[in-house]
Amino acid sequence: MMEKMSKKSALVVSAHSADFVWRAGGAIALHASRGYEVHVVCLSYGERGESAKLWRSGNMTEAKVKQSRQEEAEAAARILGATISFMDLGDYPLRADKETLFRLADIFRQVQPHFVLTHSVNDPYNYDHPLAAHLTQEARIIAQAEGYRPGETIIGAPPVYSFEPHQPEQCNWKPDVLLDISAVWDKKYAAIQCMAGQEHLWEYYTRVALQRGVQAKRNVGIGSSKVISHAEGYQSLLPRVTEDLS
Amino acid sequence: MMEKMSKKSALVVSAHSADFVWRAGGAIALHASRGYEVHVVCLSYGERGESAKLWRSGNMTEAKVKQSRQEEAEAAARILGATISFMDLGDYPLRADKETLFRLADIFRQVQPHFVLTHSVNDPYNYDHPLAAHLTQEARIIAQAEGYRPGETIIGAPPVYSFEPHQPEQCNWKPDVLLDISAVWDKKYAAIQCMAGQEHLWEYYTRVALQRGVQAKRNVGIGSSKVISHAEGYQSLLPRVTEDLS
Amino acid sequence: MMEKMSKKSALVVSAHSADFVWRAGGAIALHASRGYEVHVVCLSYGERGESAKLWRSGNMTEAKVKQSRQEEAEAAARILGATISFMDLGDYPLRADKETLFRLADIFRQVQPHFVLTHSVNDPYNYDHPLAAHLTQEARIIAQAEGYRPGETIIGAPPVYSFEPHQPEQCNWKPDVLLDISAVWDKKYAAIQCMAGQEHLWEYYTRVALQRGVQAKRNVGIGSSKVISHAEGYQSLLPRVTEDLS
Amino acid sequence: MMEKMSKKSALVVSAHSADFVWRAGGAIALHASRGYEVHVVCLSYGERGESAKLWRSGNMTEAKVKQSRQEEAEAAARILGATISFMDLGDYPLRADKETLFRLADIFRQVQPHFVLTHSVNDPYNYDHPLAAHLTQEARIIAQAEGYRPGETIIGAPPVYSFEPHQPEQCNWKPDVLLDISAVWDKKYAAIQCMAGQEHLWEYYTRVALQRGVQAKRNVGIGSSKVISHAEGYQSLLPRVTEDLS
Amino acid sequence: MMEKMSKKSALVVSAHSADFVWRAGGAIALHASRGYEVHVVCLSYGERGESAKLWRSGNMTEAKVKQSRQEEAEAAARILGATISFMDLGDYPLRADKETLFRLADIFRQVQPHFVLTHSVNDPYNYDHPLAAHLTQEARIIAQAEGYRPGETIIGAPPVYSFEPHQPEQCNWKPDVLLDISAVWDKKYAAIQCMAGQEHLWEYYTRVALQRGVQAKRNVGIGSSKVISHAEGYQSLLPRVTEDLS
Amino acid sequence: MMEKMSKKSALVVSAHSADFVWRAGGAIALHASRGYEVHVVCLSYGERGESAKLWRSGNMTEAKVKQSRQEEAEAAARILGATISFMDLGDYPLRADKETLFRLADIFRQVQPHFVLTHSVNDPYNYDHPLAAHLTQEARIIAQAEGYRPGETIIGAPPVYSFEPHQPEQCNWKPDVLLDISAVWDKKYAAIQCMAGQEHLWEYYTRVALQRGVQAKRNVGIGSSKVISHAEGYQSLLPRVTEDLS
């Protein structure tokens, strides 16, 4: 699926095949533009729960929906500068057994990510999202263990961030990071436009980016002459280690 | 008291005259060693509530206690590389009126801090601490307002961090930042030793630094070959704006 | 089991066969009396965990316990004006696989509920209750998806409420709705009396209704000349959409 | 200031003279259009903290700023269909003593509100906002007491809602009500445009209304053929009493 | 007011003159019956906010209301076996300055309590209650300080408990202690009956005691043959130190 | 495995074979020294996730790791005065099906514990820990049910405590009990030294004990002349029933 990466890298775990675009497209494009190898794993195609328009178009089968969703996601990943793979676990409901967990842990070991992006740990509107978040966190823990496939290279302790859910307050999601994506907004919007089946969300997530941009400006310290127009919010799930508080 | 700073700077607001040493001495020494102008404001001397040993020594007056506490704090600040000032607001209880708030807002404008350190917003063991935290946050807001002393240079939106309280879980304090202070631990411990009246706390805060150091090691990402021995925990009160998630 | 409903309707998901009576009997009777079709689904009979008196009566088998519990629940539903069905999933522990989830999603589609009642999402005294709440929420999500059994009529986004657990504070349950059930209290108490095996709870839940009644009176706005004697508390799990704030 | 109201009425307590427009303009216009007497109380003019553009325009005094802000607020209230009064308590910081509390309690008694709108109880960016929220809640409690100005007509227990703060997640604000303001959006936007000094917020709050509109659509129950384009979010501070859960 | 106590002792801080009866009457009677010196401090008489019936009786003055409330409270304290004093700070709103804080700290030093009972730290229905709780906690802290009135005997670190508010869930109050008051229920009910002006609460708090009694039975460990009929709930504000976990 | 106990007893459920030593060794030794029969159940050996040193030692197999871990745990239990059994469920990830749940419920019935110790219900660093906590709570509930293996002796409602996780604040763990283990610290440290594979934790948990000891001293009431040097923190998951608040 992908070779061992030697550069800086990041892993994005997306419950359905479009989530990574709306929620983390800016972070992906930004870090890819700086040379990170970013890999996206789609746990499912969102074939049941997030393909309403396709189903309504008539004469549709699950295979056709998956095919269409995969093509869209691949196109979006290409624009953002990321590699992508699909686990095809099914959605509504997404479920994961031990083997799934190990497959994801193996991807962690291959990617050796410097940071990890996934869903929020609560979402009353979409039970697949928290499941993806917990699966990601548990796979990360297993990939850190010397006793799992002994002899393989374990991973470090990369930071994990939850990207923004659709109704943030209802998910008790609180961003502690505002990522300035102004420089790559055009790429993110181009990737968004790959999602032909979900046009109603294009403008929704454009507005999200603008709002987070305004908020980022409100939280910038002294001496920053940067113009921020678009941002993405993230919630850290673990403390960060640093030597600089400014 | 101090001149307008042109270099990077930081402001530390300490309810009592020793708090900044136990709780933020590492951050102060670390940033001072990199050229930050760090200014510490002590709202009170802790003359009533945190000078038990002095009071027990007999033949003591409040003036003598304050004098002794000021000398200790000045010595500690000198070791850490910070300037220090005292507002002498009294402790147990600390109280702040509008004029106090404005005095602190004026210090914000003078210091133009790149980051701010203060207490946790909850502490059932010490009501002066949350008051100091809220006073700091409100002073920061006022110093940002164009309409406060119009014509003066306003401040930006520096990040604000709560340093570690004495019983962290009881204060609902949760660190999201672990600051590696290994390089300056010797300075912090030297500053701690200035606090002659509170020897029982020397080893307590040495252990705090060691525990946070172990935790920092547990949260370090890939490729970090750094040896971390000591750390300080901080809780961000506001989101940070960044362009890098690793 | 039931035909497609054309009137207003409601769905109540009860982990054990008596829960809906103690916790939601008033809401059921009240809405039934106004013409709602209310359907109750009992996930289990509570045969292991909530039938202590039956088991102590000697010479008992699981089949006999279930039979007795079913009869009680049917009698109570009749008094309240609801239809009832039983999924017989077992209790202590209740467990649900994908097929169970789909069965419940199918009931959602049949009932097309205007609102949904179920358990609290936390309960340290009864793990079957949160499981029922989560199963209900996930089934609702699946029943909304075009891609689940494509071609069937999907459901809207009915509000979901958690009814009152036995020890509300321990479950972190906080009512944001107080439902005035004064007009149907006699029916609720008649239904309660069907639960021959749990007489110790009759007075407990009478007192609950009286306490919530007093609290409702404390929260009534201006110009309300209504006499409230009994109420039930509910916690909304999702925001409500309205055009009137009074 | 205003006469005893005999119709349905509402009270809006705004820390600064523009807050009610951005945050509650839709609710005001909506209820006014249905015949409610809506009264807005501005605790301050926001002369220091929320008039940056005016101060930057040069040759400005606090009196001139207040005058300008009052005119804007009056124009906005007129468009929305509300009466308005100003307590001129000062801002940055807003402070309230007992007499202020009693003045607000007296307004509660005059208005006899069927519902109350005010700020969120937390806001790390603006300490005046939580103070306004708490002042409102305490004034409401005092206006309910028989022993306060005995003989006067006390108020009932009107629901109190927090309107949306500028950075909702940072304020731990979670909307449990989405108010459909589609029918009055044009009025709200006209009122917004009265705020000449804060043009940067016009589009921000237009986007807020659109996002909440999309979210409202996601939370609408069955059989709703209504088209929702714009909404406002509210958080209830007290439980509501009802006889209908749909 | 009272002499230095040499026996085990407890301090109860009541915002209004009846609170201690409804909320802590059982704890008072129970410990008094075991030889504790229990002292109750009423911060106000509740003359404005909790004397509706008196005010409605006509021809009333604040002095008469206070007199009546004091007599009731003294009668109740006598039945429960406690001493009582009144600070007459006024209610609706209760306010406390530094001198008040010191007066309460002095009472702490006189009483040298083995435990402390007061209100919950949140109550959206009654702002006097949280104020009383915070005043109590801060006075306790001051009474512990060597530097406050140096030379006096300081206090230890007695546990502090919040007793049950009127609408517990709305106050985010969660009991972690259920005190068995079965043995003294008759005394508590006799004390309750002293509150002639608040008859509507007699049965309310009888039901509270019965519900907490049932809950206590549900939380009793092995080998307990005790019959519990009535209980009071308490929330610890600080951790307890023990040598026994059973 | 063990006979029906007639003395006071306690049950400790440990996810991995060393957890009970670091986290609850003091409680075990203390109660064992007073005559309690303390039984430890290790759900797994921690063979994958907590045996890094063994795996690094080369030429290792899972069977050898388990054997080594079992011997260490048995040695530690012997020193602490507890019996121990192993369920060998595997770790990283730990998983439990219905039969596992029943096996643990059966142990509850055999042990008839007067109190129960287990993990915290949250731990983002170790998903096996919360799973163990929930399994323990659910097994306890099943062991209380008359309908589970009817005719067997059910258990009472023993208190359940979460012991301290490795990074307490990150787990939202807040101790409400500080257990004085000064008298048995030497035994705990001897048991700790049995964990040859995890020497890096010896000093970490020594410092934890010292910090909790200092905190215990800060929370001790009046008249306590006891010298506390070491303590363990616990969080109650259920309210305690008592007749004494001091």
Side-chain angles (χ1 to χ4, degrees):
Chain A
M1 180 178 56
M2 91 209 78
E3 301 142 63
K4 191 90 170 211
M5 293 158 176
S6 58
K7 305 198 285 179
K8 275 199 163 188
S9 59
L11 181 62
V12 183
V13 183
S14 183
H16 312 100
S17 64
D19 290 324
F20 73 95
V21 185
W22 319 112
R23 311 188 189 295
I28 295 168
L30 187 67
H31 289 84
S33 74
R34 285 213 218 99
Y36 279 69
E37 303 261 18
V38 184
H39 185 68
V40 177
V41 178
C42 295
L43 303 179
S44 80
Y45 295 101
E47 60 269 24
R48 279 192 183 167
E50 309 199 343
S51 307
K53 197 178 162 190
L54 286 168
W55 286 110
R56 285 193 213 111
S57 69
N59 205 16
M60 195 48 68
T61 64
E62 203 157 281
K64 282 200 242 176
V65 170
K66 286 182 179 181
Q67 176 67 16
S68 172
R69 297 278 293 176
Q70 178 169 344
E71 287 164 11
E72 286 176 5
E74 286 172 339
R78 209 173 305 125
I79 290 170
L80 297 172
T83 56
I84 190 165
S85 59
F86 301 88
M87 292 184 73
D88 194 14
L89 302 175
D91 75 327
Y92 281 58
L94 179 65
R95 288 290 183 270
D97 58 14
K98 263 193 190 185
E99 287 318 304
T100 303
L101 180 63
F102 295 149
R103 284 172 62 196
L104 190 56
D106 292 344
I107 293 175
F108 264 94
R109 289 206 169 162
Q110 281 188 283
V111 174
Q112 293 281 337
H114 289 68
F115 65 89
V116 180
L117 307 182
T118 189
H119 291 269
S120 60
V121 291
N122 292 293
D123 192 336
Y125 294 95
N126 196 317
Y127 271 50
D128 295 354
H129 290 173
L131 189 146
H134 286 299
L135 183 70
T136 300
Q137 286 203 290
E138 193 165 18
R140 173 182 172 277
I141 292 165
I142 287 170
Q144 292 175 322
E146 299 268 2
Y148 173 70
R149 307 206 195 282
E152 282 191 11
T153 304
I154 61 168
I155 66 165
V160 184
Y161 300 93
S162 287
F163 39 61
E164 179 159 349
H166 194 65
Q167 298 191 50
E169 300 94 351
Q170 304 304 324
C171 302
N172 299 327
W173 176 86
K174 182 176 178 173
D176 64 317
V177 176
L178 295 166
L179 183 75
D180 178 2
I181 61 163
S182 309
V184 295
W185 169 249
D186 54 344
K187 278 192 200 163
K188 176 164 180 177
Y189 193 63
I192 280 177
Q193 288 171 304
C194 297
M195 302 294 135
Q198 292 167 293
E199 279 157 7
H200 60 293
L201 295 177
W202 297 7
E203 292 318 301
Y204 188 84
Y205 282 100
T206 298
R207 289 190 300 263
V208 167
L210 290 166
Q211 300 300 85
R212 296 298 172 199
V214 173
Q215 292 170 10
K217 270 184 285 188
R218 284 282 297 259
N219 286 286
V220 164
I222 215 164
S224 173
S225 58
K226 290 208 38 190
V227 177
I228 302 176
S229 59
H230 296 77
E232 282 174 349
Y234 290 93
Q235 178 170 1
S236 310
L237 296 183
L238 300 164
R240 69 185 167 112
V241 180
T242 187
E243 288 171 270
D244 190 350
L245 293 175
S246 68
Chain B
M1 180 178 53
M2 90 209 79
E3 301 143 62
K4 190 90 169 212
M5 291 160 177
S6 58
K7 305 198 285 178
K8 276 202 163 186
S9 58
L11 181 61
V12 183
V13 182
S14 182
H16 311 100
S17 63
D19 290 323
F20 72 95
V21 184
W22 320 113
R23 309 186 192 296
I28 295 169
L30 186 67
H31 288 84
S33 74
R34 287 213 218 98
Y36 278 68
E37 302 262 17
V38 184
H39 185 68
V40 178
V41 178
C42 295
L43 302 179
S44 80
Y45 295 102
E47 60 269 23
R48 279 193 183 168
E50 310 198 342
S51 307
K53 197 178 164 191
L54 286 168
W55 287 110
R56 285 194 213 111
S57 67
N59 206 16
M60 195 48 68
T61 65
E62 202 157 282
K64 282 200 242 176
V65 170
K66 285 182 181 181
Q67 177 67 18
S68 170
R69 297 277 294 177
Q70 178 170 342
E71 288 165 9
E72 287 176 4
E74 287 172 340
R78 209 174 304 123
I79 290 170
L80 298 173
T83 56
I84 190 165
S85 61
F86 301 88
M87 292 183 74
D88 194 13
L89 301 175
D91 75 326
Y92 281 57
L94 179 65
R95 288 290 182 268
D97 58 14
K98 263 193 191 185
E99 287 318 303
T100 303
L101 179 62
F102 295 148
R103 283 172 63 195
L104 189 56
D106 293 344
I107 294 175
F108 264 93
R109 289 203 169 163
Q110 281 187 283
V111 174
Q112 294 282 335
H114 288 69
F115 66 89
V116 180
L117 307 181
T118 189
H119 292 269
S120 60
V121 291
N122 292 294
D123 192 337
Y125 294 95
N126 197 316
Y127 271 50
D128 294 355
H129 290 173
L131 189 145
H134 287 299
L135 183 70
T136 300
Q137 286 204 289
E138 194 165 17
R140 173 182 173 277
I141 293 166
I142 287 171
Q144 292 175 322
E146 300 268 1
Y148 174 70
R149 308 205 195 283
E152 281 191 12
T153 304
I154 61 168
I155 64 165
V160 184
Y161 301 93
S162 287
F163 40 59
E164 180 158 348
H166 194 65
Q167 298 191 51
E169 300 94 352
Q170 304 304 324
C171 301
N172 299 326
W173 176 87
K174 181 175 177 172
D176 63 316
V177 175
L178 294 166
L179 184 75
D180 178 2
I181 61 163
S182 309
V184 295
W185 169 250
D186 55 344
K187 279 192 198 162
K188 176 164 180 176
Y189 193 63
I192 279 177
Q193 289 172 302
C194 297
M195 302 295 134
Q198 293 166 294
E199 279 157 7
H200 60 294
L201 295 177
W202 297 6
E203 292 319 301
Y204 188 85
Y205 282 100
T206 298
R207 289 190 301 262
V208 167
L210 289 166
Q211 299 300 84
R212 296 299 173 198
V214 173
Q215 292 170 10
K217 270 184 284 188
R218 284 282 297 257
N219 286 285
V220 163
I222 214 163
S224 174
S225 58
K226 292 207 38 193
V227 177
I228 302 176
S229 60
H230 295 76
E232 282 175 349
Y234 289 94
Q235 178 171 1
S236 309
L237 296 183
L238 300 164
R240 69 185 168 112
V241 180
T242 186
E243 289 172 89
D244 190 351
L245 294 174
S246 67
Chain C
M1 180 179 55
M2 91 210 78
E3 300 142 64
K4 192 89 168 211
M5 291 160 177
S6 58
K7 305 198 285 179
K8 276 201 163 186
S9 59
L11 181 62
V12 182
V13 182
S14 183
H16 311 100
S17 63
D19 289 323
F20 73 95
V21 184
W22 319 113
R23 310 186 190 296
I28 295 169
L30 187 68
H31 289 84
S33 74
R34 285 211 220 100
Y36 279 67
E37 303 260 19
V38 183
H39 185 69
V40 177
V41 178
C42 295
L43 302 179
S44 79
Y45 295 102
E47 60 270 22
R48 279 194 183 165
E50 309 199 343
S51 307
K53 197 177 162 190
L54 285 169
W55 287 110
R56 284 194 214 111
S57 68
N59 205 15
M60 194 49 68
T61 64
E62 204 157 279
K64 282 201 241 175
V65 170
K66 286 181 180 182
Q67 175 68 16
S68 171
R69 296 278 293 177
Q70 177 170 342
E71 286 164 9
E72 286 176 5
E74 286 172 339
R78 210 174 303 124
I79 289 170
L80 298 172
T83 56
I84 190 165
S85 60
F86 301 88
M87 291 183 75
D88 194 13
L89 302 175
D91 75 327
Y92 281 59
L94 180 64
R95 288 289 183 270
D97 58 15
K98 264 194 190 183
E99 287 318 304
T100 303
L101 180 62
F102 295 149
R103 284 171 63 195
L104 189 56
D106 293 343
I107 294 175
F108 264 92
R109 289 205 169 162
Q110 281 186 283
V111 174
Q112 294 282 335
H114 288 68
F115 67 88
V116 180
L117 307 181
T118 189
H119 292 268
S120 60
V121 291
N122 292 293
D123 192 336
Y125 294 97
N126 196 316
Y127 271 49
D128 294 355
H129 290 173
L131 188 145
H134 287 299
L135 183 70
T136 300
Q137 286 203 290
E138 193 165 17
R140 173 182 172 277
I141 292 166
I142 287 171
Q144 292 176 321
E146 299 268 1
Y148 174 69
R149 307 205 195 283
E152 281 192 12
T153 305
I154 62 168
I155 65 165
V160 184
Y161 300 94
S162 287
F163 39 61
E164 180 159 350
H166 194 65
Q167 298 192 49
E169 299 94 353
Q170 304 304 325
C171 302
N172 299 327
W173 176 88
K174 181 175 177 172
D176 63 316
V177 176
L178 294 166
L179 184 75
D180 178 2
I181 60 163
S182 309
V184 296
W185 168 251
D186 54 344
K187 278 192 198 162
K188 176 164 180 175
Y189 193 64
I192 279 177
Q193 289 172 302
C194 297
M195 302 295 134
Q198 292 166 293
E199 278 156 8
H200 60 294
L201 295 177
W202 297 6
E203 291 319 301
Y204 188 85
Y205 282 99
T206 298
R207 289 190 301 261
V208 166
L210 290 166
Q211 300 300 85
R212 297 297 173 197
V214 172
Q215 292 171 10
K217 270 184 285 188
R218 283 283 297 258
N219 286 286
V220 164
I222 215 164
S224 173
S225 59
K226 290 209 41 194
V227 176
I228 303 176
S229 58
H230 296 76
E232 282 174 349
Y234 289 93
Q235 178 170 1
S236 309
L237 297 184
L238 300 164
R240 70 185 167 113
V241 180
T242 186
E243 289 172 89
D244 190 350
L245 294 175
S246 68
Chain D
M1 182 177 54
M2 91 210 78
E3 302 142 63
K4 191 89 169 213
M5 291 160 177
S6 58
K7 304 198 285 180
K8 276 199 163 188
S9 59
L11 181 62
V12 182
V13 182
S14 183
H16 312 100
S17 64
D19 290 323
F20 73 96
V21 184
W22 319 113
R23 311 186 190 296
I28 295 169
L30 187 67
H31 289 84
S33 74
R34 285 212 219 98
Y36 278 68
E37 303 261 19
V38 184
H39 185 68
V40 177
V41 178
C42 295
L43 302 179
S44 80
Y45 295 102
E47 59 270 22
R48 281 194 182 165
E50 310 200 342
S51 307
K53 197 178 162 190
L54 286 168
W55 286 109
R56 286 193 213 113
S57 67
N59 205 17
M60 196 47 70
T61 65
E62 202 157 283
K64 282 200 243 176
V65 170
K66 286 182 180 180
Q67 176 68 16
S68 172
R69 297 277 294 176
Q70 177 169 345
E71 287 164 11
E72 286 177 5
E74 286 172 340
R78 210 174 303 123
I79 290 169
L80 298 173
T83 56
I84 190 166
S85 60
F86 301 88
M87 293 184 74
D88 194 13
L89 302 175
D91 74 327
Y92 281 58
L94 179 65
R95 288 289 183 269
D97 59 13
K98 263 194 191 183
E99 287 318 304
T100 303
L101 180 62
F102 295 149
R103 283 171 62 197
L104 190 56
D106 293 344
I107 293 175
F108 264 94
R109 288 203 170 165
Q110 280 186 284
V111 174
Q112 295 281 335
H114 288 68
F115 66 88
V116 180
L117 307 181
T118 189
H119 291 269
S120 59
V121 291
N122 293 293
D123 192 336
Y125 294 96
N126 196 316
Y127 271 49
D128 295 355
H129 291 173
L131 188 145
H134 287 299
L135 184 71
T136 301
Q137 286 203 291
E138 192 165 18
R140 174 182 171 277
I141 292 166
I142 288 171
Q144 291 175 322
E146 299 268 1
Y148 173 69
R149 307 206 194 284
E152 281 191 12
T153 304
I154 61 169
I155 65 164
V160 183
Y161 300 94
S162 287
F163 39 61
E164 179 159 351
H166 195 64
Q167 298 191 49
E169 300 94 352
Q170 304 304 324
C171 302
N172 299 327
W173 176 87
K174 181 175 178 174
D176 63 317
V177 176
L178 294 166
L179 184 75
D180 178 2
I181 61 163
S182 310
V184 296
W185 169 250
D186 55 343
K187 278 191 198 162
K188 176 164 180 177
Y189 193 63
I192 280 177
Q193 289 172 303
C194 296
M195 302 295 134
Q198 293 166 294
E199 278 156 9
H200 60 293
L201 295 178
W202 297 6
E203 293 317 301
Y204 188 84
Y205 282 100
T206 298
R207 289 190 300 262
V208 166
L210 290 166
Q211 300 301 83
R212 297 298 173 198
V214 173
Q215 292 171 9
K217 272 185 284 189
R218 284 283 296 259
N219 286 285
V220 163
I222 214 164
S224 172
S225 58
K226 291 209 39 192
V227 177
I228 302 176
S229 59
H230 295 77
E232 281 175 349
Y234 290 93
Q235 177 171 1
S236 309
L237 296 183
L238 301 164
R240 71 186 166 111
V241 181
T242 186
E243 290 172 90
D244 190 350
L245 294 174
S246 68
Chain E
M1 181 177 54
M2 91 210 79
E3 302 142 62
K4 192 87 170 215
M5 291 162 177
S6 57
K7 304 199 287 180
K8 275 200 163 187
S9 59
L11 180 62
V12 183
V13 182
S14 183
H16 311 100
S17 62
D19 290 324
F20 73 95
V21 184
W22 318 113
R23 311 187 190 296
I28 296 169
L30 187 67
H31 290 84
S33 74
R34 284 213 219 99
Y36 278 69
E37 304 262 17
V38 184
H39 185 68
V40 178
V41 178
C42 295
L43 302 179
S44 81
Y45 295 101
E47 59 269 23
R48 280 193 182 166
E50 310 199 342
S51 307
K53 196 178 164 190
L54 286 168
W55 286 109
R56 285 194 214 111
S57 68
N59 206 15
M60 195 48 68
T61 65
E62 203 158 280
K64 282 201 241 175
V65 170
K66 286 182 179 181
Q67 175 68 18
S68 172
R69 296 278 293 176
Q70 177 169 344
E71 287 165 9
E72 287 176 5
E74 287 172 340
R78 209 174 302 123
I79 290 170
L80 297 173
T83 56
I84 189 165
S85 61
F86 302 87
M87 291 184 74
D88 194 13
L89 301 176
D91 74 328
Y92 281 59
L94 180 64
R95 288 290 182 270
D97 58 14
K98 264 194 188 185
E99 287 318 304
T100 303
L101 180 63
F102 295 148
R103 284 172 61 196
L104 190 55
D106 294 343
I107 294 176
F108 264 93
R109 289 205 169 162
Q110 281 188 284
V111 174
Q112 294 281 336
H114 288 68
F115 66 88
V116 180
L117 307 181
T118 189
H119 292 269
S120 60
V121 290
N122 292 293
D123 192 336
Y125 294 96
N126 197 316
Y127 271 49
D128 295 355
H129 290 173
L131 189 146
H134 287 298
L135 184 70
T136 301
Q137 286 202 291
E138 194 166 16
R140 173 182 172 277
I141 292 166
I142 288 171
Q144 292 174 321
E146 299 267 2
Y148 174 69
R149 308 205 195 283
E152 281 191 13
T153 305
I154 62 168
I155 65 165
V160 183
Y161 302 93
S162 286
F163 39 61
E164 179 158 351
H166 194 64
Q167 297 191 50
E169 298 95 351
Q170 304 304 325
C171 302
N172 299 326
W173 176 87
K174 182 174 177 173
D176 63 315
V177 176
L178 294 166
L179 183 75
D180 178 3
I181 61 164
S182 309
V184 296
W185 169 249
D186 54 342
K187 277 192 199 164
K188 176 165 180 176
Y189 193 63
I192 279 177
Q193 290 172 302
C194 296
M195 301 295 133
Q198 293 168 293
E199 278 157 7
H200 60 293
L201 294 178
W202 297 6
E203 292 319 301
Y204 188 84
Y205 282 100
T206 298
R207 290 191 299 262
V208 166
L210 290 166
Q211 300 300 86
R212 297 297 173 198
V214 173
Q215 292 171 9
K217 270 184 284 188
R218 283 283 296 259
N219 286 285
V220 164
I222 215 164
S224 174
S225 58
K226 291 208 38 189
V227 177
I228 303 177
S229 59
H230 296 76
E232 282 175 348
Y234 289 93
Q235 178 171 0
S236 309
L237 296 183
L238 300 165
R240 71 184 166 111
V241 180
T242 186
E243 289 172 89
D244 189 350
L245 293 175
S246 68
Chain F
M1 181 176 55
M2 91 210 78
E3 301 142 63
K4 193 88 170 213
M5 292 160 178
S6 58
K7 304 198 286 178
K8 276 199 164 189
S9 58
L11 181 62
V12 182
V13 182
S14 184
H16 311 100
S17 62
D19 289 324
F20 74 94
V21 184
W22 319 112
R23 310 187 190 296
I28 295 169
L30 186 68
H31 289 84
S33 74
R34 284 211 220 99
Y36 279 67
E37 303 262 16
V38 183
H39 184 70
V40 178
V41 177
C42 294
L43 302 179
S44 79
Y45 294 102
E47 59 269 25
R48 281 193 182 166
E50 309 199 342
S51 307
K53 198 179 163 189
L54 286 168
W55 286 109
R56 286 194 212 110
S57 68
N59 205 15
M60 195 48 68
T61 64
E62 203 158 281
K64 282 200 242 175
V65 171
K66 287 182 180 181
Q67 175 68 17
S68 171
R69 297 277 293 175
Q70 177 169 343
E71 286 164 10
E72 286 176 6
E74 286 172 340
R78 209 173 304 122
I79 290 170
L80 298 173
T83 56
I84 189 165
S85 59
F86 301 88
M87 291 185 73
D88 194 13
L89 302 175
D91 75 327
Y92 281 58
L94 178 65
R95 288 291 182 269
D97 59 13
K98 264 193 191 185
E99 287 318 304
T100 303
L101 180 62
F102 295 149
R103 283 171 62 196
L104 189 56
D106 293 343
I107 295 174
F108 265 92
R109 289 205 169 161
Q110 281 188 284
V111 174
Q112 294 281 336
H114 288 69
F115 66 88
V116 179
L117 307 181
T118 189
H119 292 269
S120 60
V121 291
N122 292 293
D123 192 337
Y125 295 96
N126 197 315
Y127 271 50
D128 295 354
H129 290 173
L131 189 146
H134 287 299
L135 183 71
T136 301
Q137 286 202 292
E138 194 165 17
R140 173 182 172 276
I141 292 166
I142 287 171
Q144 292 175 321
E146 300 268 1
Y148 174 69
R149 308 205 195 282
E152 281 191 14
T153 304
I154 62 169
I155 65 166
V160 183
Y161 300 93
S162 287
F163 40 61
E164 180 159 349
H166 194 65
Q167 298 191 51
E169 300 95 351
Q170 304 304 325
C171 302
N172 300 326
W173 176 86
K174 182 176 178 173
D176 63 316
V177 176
L178 294 166
L179 183 75
D180 178 2
I181 60 163
S182 310
V184 295
W185 169 249
D186 54 343
K187 278 192 199 162
K188 176 165 180 176
Y189 193 63
I192 279 177
Q193 289 171 303
C194 298
M195 301 295 134
Q198 292 167 294
E199 278 156 8
H200 59 295
L201 295 177
W202 297 6
E203 291 318 301
Y204 188 84
Y205 282 100
T206 298
R207 289 191 298 264
V208 166
L210 289 167
Q211 299 301 84
R212 298 298 173 198
V214 173
Q215 292 171 11
K217 271 184 284 188
R218 283 283 296 259
N219 285 286
V220 163
I222 214 165
S224 173
S225 58
K226 289 209 37 190
V227 177
I228 302 177
S229 58
H230 296 75
E232 282 175 347
Y234 290 93
Q235 177 170 1
S236 310
L237 297 183
L238 301 165
R240 71 186 166 111
V241 181
T242 186
E243 290 172 89
D244 190 350
L245 294 175
S246 69

